[in-house]
Amino acid sequence: MPNLGRAFSYLIAAQVQAVSLIFLAYWAGDWLNKNHPIGFNWYVVTFTIGVLGVAQTFYVVIRAAMIQGKQQPEKTDDTKSGSDA
C-alpha cells in the first residue's frame, strides 16, 4: 500500500511541474514578445519547449511506475494464507 501512495505523489508532482512549465512558457513568451520582437511569435518556441518538458516529466513518471511494478514479487498461494500452519 505505501507504493500506491508513492505513485500518487509522483503523479501529483508531475501535474504541478506540468502546470509550472506551461506557466513559465507563457511568461517567457510574453517577455520575449515585448522585449525582443521579431517576425514570429515567441510563444511558438516557448510552448514547444514547455510541452516537451511536460512529455519528459510524464515519461519519467510512467517509466518509474512500470519499473516499480516489475520489482513487486508475485504472491503465490503459499504466501497468501499465513495462518494455515
Side-chain angles (χ1 to χ4, degrees), residues 34-74:
K34 289 178 183 175
N35 294 318
H36 301 286
I38 54 175
F40 68 92
N41 196 349
W42 279 105
Y43 287 126
V44 174
V45 175
T46 59
F47 276 110
T48 302
I49 293 170
V51 167
L52 288 174
V54 169
Q56 190 270 343
T57 298
F58 280 99
Y59 168 75
V60 169
V61 169
I62 292 170
R63 187 183 70 191
M66 291 175 70
I67 289 172
Q68 188 178 20
K70 288 181 182 178
Q71 291 176 351
Q72 297 288 332
E74 291 187 20

